[in-house]
């Protein structure tokens, strides 16, 4: 897709024309890591990035491993916004030929659009591929937030309209971006996930003390069962992660991917790229019996959060999934003073293990005015339903409701 420009007026430049240049990049080699990350994670100058998934190194690992690109249904069209030659914003944008690997699904939109005689695919997706984790999608320099956000949204919409694409979707964006996008005319959508929130706990037992007696006993029972699986649990990050660990984890990932998605989204090469460039962003939890790895969970480490991503096993053990994915993640978050654990998509079973429902956000634009109006009405009803569901689920959470419960 070609390079293009557009012009924009803002309140801060009344009477003056502000020209923003939008470049469409087909691969991340066209922009330096420093230039991309100056917008994606400026806070990383003094520590970890808030969001490990929008860094240049993560997105390039997807690209270099052929987990996105030709044949995957994820075709890179990254946006770069420049003002007077300086990059003020970037965005991970992809052309999509299907709706897989998104986790805020639009299959019902696609079916309705095609039933009405339109072609839903290709579409544009502003997202981190295969990654249901909330983070900024409009990656803007801190001193240019308003103008760069507007430029990236208008640029993406213009790109979709000029190429007669059905739609643009900005998924797992922040609440602030959702509110700004709605003001720009995009349709906001709500979904929900389960997150564990660190209420200043000093230990796992400190966390358990906040639960109802029954839930507390159940978690202790599950941890005991899991840890009696007959082997050892290894907690690995950074240079402790070695290539042979990825050999084991690839087997786990393939098994889970085949059962859940039919075909795993990530290639084997992605884990080689992870070893080379991402291991300091990762927490790998592995279960081993007699020198043989039998199960594992992969997490990514952000500045304030731990992100649970993948799990797999070659042998079933009671409660080992809960231990490796949820309880070990909580242990790590407490030890590192992280504010939360995001446990990924779906899974109401997480509720009983201390993970509460939270809202996730997305934004949607459709080129067909009539279809756009119909979607707007649908999303209004859906947002109300999601709010109601979160209220109900929260009421069934494991935390103490009344002090008297402990006395019964």
């Amino acid at each position: 897709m070609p390079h293009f420009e557009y012009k924009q007026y803002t309140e801060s430049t009344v009477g003056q024309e502000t020209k923003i240049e939008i470049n469409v990049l087909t691969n991340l080699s066209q922009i330096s890591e420093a230039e991309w990350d100056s917008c994606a994670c400026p806070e990383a100058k003094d520590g970890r990035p808030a969001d490990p998934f929008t860094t240049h190194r993560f997105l390039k690992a997807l690209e270099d491993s052929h987990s996105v690109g030709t044949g995957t249904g994820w075709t890179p069209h990254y946006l770069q916004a420049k003002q007077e030659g300086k990059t003020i914003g970037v965005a991970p944008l992809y052309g999509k030929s299907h709706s897989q690997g998104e986790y805020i699904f639009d299959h019902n939109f696609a079916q309705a659009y095609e039933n009405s005689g339109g072609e839903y695919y290709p579409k544009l997706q502003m997202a981190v591929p295969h990654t249901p984790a909330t983070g900024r999608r409009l990656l803007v320099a801190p001193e240019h937030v308003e103008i760069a956000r507007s430029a990236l949204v208008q640029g993406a919409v213009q790109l979709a309209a000029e190429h007669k694409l059905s739609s643009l979707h900005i998924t797992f964006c922040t609440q602030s971006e959702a509110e700004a996008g709605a003001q720009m005319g995009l349709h906001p959508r709500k979904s929900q996930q389960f997150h564990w929130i660190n209420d200043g706990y000093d230990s796992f037992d400190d966390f358990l003390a906040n639960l109802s007696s029954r839930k507390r006993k159940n978690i202790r029972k599950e941890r005991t069962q899991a840890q009696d699986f007959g082997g050892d649990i290894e907690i690995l990050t950074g240079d402790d992660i070695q290539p042979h660990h990825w050999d084991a984890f690839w087997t786990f990932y393939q098994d889970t991917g085949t059962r859940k998605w039919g075909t795993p989204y990530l290639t084997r090469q992605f884990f080689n790229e992870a070893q080379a460039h991402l291991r300091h962003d990762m927490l790998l939890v592995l279960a081993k019996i007699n020198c043989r790895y039998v199960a594992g969970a992969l997490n990514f480490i952000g500045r304030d959060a731990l992100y649970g991503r993948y799990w797999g096993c070659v042998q079933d053990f009671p409660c080992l999934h809960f231990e490796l994915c949820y309880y070990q993640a909580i242990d790590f978050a407490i030890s590192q003073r992280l504010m939360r654990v995001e446990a990924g998509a779906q899974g109401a079973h997480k509720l009983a293990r201390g993970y509460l429902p939270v809202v996730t956000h997305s934004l949607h634009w459709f080129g067909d005015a009539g279809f756009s109006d119909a979607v707007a009405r649908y999303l209004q009803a859906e947002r109300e339903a999601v709010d109601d569901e979160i209220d109900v689920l929260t009421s069934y959470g494991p935390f103490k409701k009344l002090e008297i419960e402990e006395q019964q």
Side-chain angles (χ1 to χ4, degrees):
M1 291 186 183
H3 158 94
F4 65 94
E5 299 183 345
Y6 81 94
K7 297 176 180 180
Q8 169 182 314
Y9 289 92
T10 67
E11 291 183 4
S12 60
T13 57
V14 174
Q16 298 180 3
E17 189 176 73
T18 301
K19 185 172 72 174
I20 306 295
E21 178 185 1
I22 302 291
N23 295 320
V24 181
L25 312 178
T26 57
N27 65 76
L28 282 172
S29 297
Q30 296 172 303
I31 184 171
S32 71
E33 182 173 7
E35 194 168 10
W36 179 279
D37 285 352
S38 69
C39 297
C41 53
E43 73 283 352
K45 291 179 180 179
D46 62 356
R48 289 188 180 277
D51 180 357
F53 303 114
T54 53
T55 60
H56 189 279
R57 60 181 176 269
F58 181 86
L59 296 171
K60 196 167 190 300
L62 290 176
E63 196 177 285
D64 290 347
S65 67
H66 306 290
S67 299
V68 301
T70 303
T72 68
W74 291 85
T75 304
H77 297 301
Y78 313 105
L79 295 187
Q80 178 190 31
K82 300 182 77 172
Q83 183 179 33
E84 297 179 351
K86 178 184 177 182
T87 297
I88 62 171
V90 294
L93 185 68
Y94 300 84
K96 290 296 305 294
S97 60
H98 54 62
S99 292
Q100 298 171 13
E102 296 172 9
Y103 299 96
I104 294 179
F105 294 114
D106 60 347
H107 300 300
N108 53 345
F109 298 163
Q111 184 177 8
Y113 197 88
E114 292 178 358
N115 286 344
S116 66
E119 293 185 7
Y120 194 69
Y121 305 105
K123 61 177 184 174
L124 285 181
Q125 192 86 17
M126 191 179 291
V128 177
H130 323 307
T131 307
T134 292
R136 289 189 303 130
R137 297 295 174 259
L138 305 167
L139 309 175
V140 298
E143 64 273 24
H144 297 286
V145 172
E146 185 176 348
I147 191 171
R149 271 185 179 177
S150 179
L152 291 170
V153 169
Q154 291 185 50
V157 168
Q158 182 177 334
L159 192 62
E162 286 186 354
H163 290 270
K164 297 180 171 56
L165 304 183
S166 68
S167 52
L168 163 70
H169 309 267
I170 305 176
T171 47
F172 290 101
C173 60
T174 65
Q175 180 177 345
S176 174
E177 288 175 328
E179 292 169 352
Q183 292 179 352
M184 295 181 217
L186 278 66
H187 301 312
R189 187 178 192 185
K190 286 184 178 180
S191 305
Q192 63 99 1
Q193 285 184 340
F194 293 89
H195 297 177
W196 178 85
I197 306 301
N198 188 351
D199 194 19
Y201 302 122
D202 291 322
S203 66
F204 196 91
D205 282 340
D206 195 15
F207 154 62
L208 288 181
N210 271 11
L211 305 186
S212 68
S213 176
R214 183 169 61 86
K215 298 297 186 183
R216 184 166 59 244
K217 290 176 182 177
N218 185 65
I219 289 176
R220 284 177 173 155
K221 180 180 178 181
E222 287 185 345
R223 297 207 76 178
T224 298
Q225 283 185 299
Q227 292 171 5
D228 285 344
F229 75 101
D232 301 309
I233 295 174
E234 295 184 357
I235 310 298
L236 306 168
T237 190
D239 291 336
D240 291 335
I241 302 176
Q242 296 296 315
H244 71 274
H245 295 128
W246 295 121
D247 292 334
F249 191 79
W250 172 245
T251 301
F252 308 148
Y253 174 72
Q254 281 185 296
D255 177 70
T256 300
T258 300
R259 284 186 286 106
K260 280 191 172 183
W261 315 305
T263 302
Y265 294 142
L266 302 177
T267 65
R268 176 62 182 86
Q269 189 180 342
F270 174 81
F271 297 100
N272 295 336
E273 296 292 332
Q275 175 65 23
H277 305 293
L278 303 173
R279 65 186 184 276
H280 294 286
D281 298 324
M282 305 173 98
L283 170 70
L284 192 56
V285 183
L286 296 174
K288 180 170 67 174
I289 298 178
N290 296 329
C291 300
R292 174 177 175 258
Y293 291 108
V294 296
L298 175 61
N299 307 266
F300 279 78
I301 309 167
R303 193 180 187 92
D304 300 311
L306 184 69
Y307 301 90
R309 288 303 300 114
Y310 300 107
W311 143 268
C313 63
V314 294
Q315 188 175 346
D316 289 328
F317 297 92
C319 301
L320 192 59
H321 171 249
F322 302 144
E323 177 66 23
L324 298 192
C325 291
Y326 307 140
Y327 302 143
Q328 288 290 337
I330 290 173
D331 273 335
F332 184 85
I334 291 172
S335 71
Q336 300 300 309
R337 301 294 180 188
L338 300 178
M339 294 173 57
R340 66 190 185 280
V341 177
E342 297 194 14
Q346 305 172 337
H349 62 279
K350 298 167 186 172
L351 188 67
R353 287 150 190 100
Y355 291 72
L356 294 179
V358 299
V359 174
T360 59
H361 299 274
S362 59
L363 291 163
H364 307 267
W365 172 91
F366 298 90
D368 184 279
F371 191 81
S372 182
D373 289 343
V375 168
R377 292 191 295 272
Y378 169 83
L379 292 180
Q380 174 61 38
E382 185 186 51
R383 288 193 297 271
E384 294 172 2
V386 168
D387 287 339
D388 290 343
E389 182 180 17
I390 288 176
D391 287 343
V392 171
L393 287 170
T394 301
S395 71
Y396 283 99
F399 292 88
K400 295 177 183 177
K401 304 297 190 300
L402 296 171
E403 289 297 326
I404 193 172
E405 179 180 349
E406 291 298 296
Q407 301 171 11
Q408 292 177 340

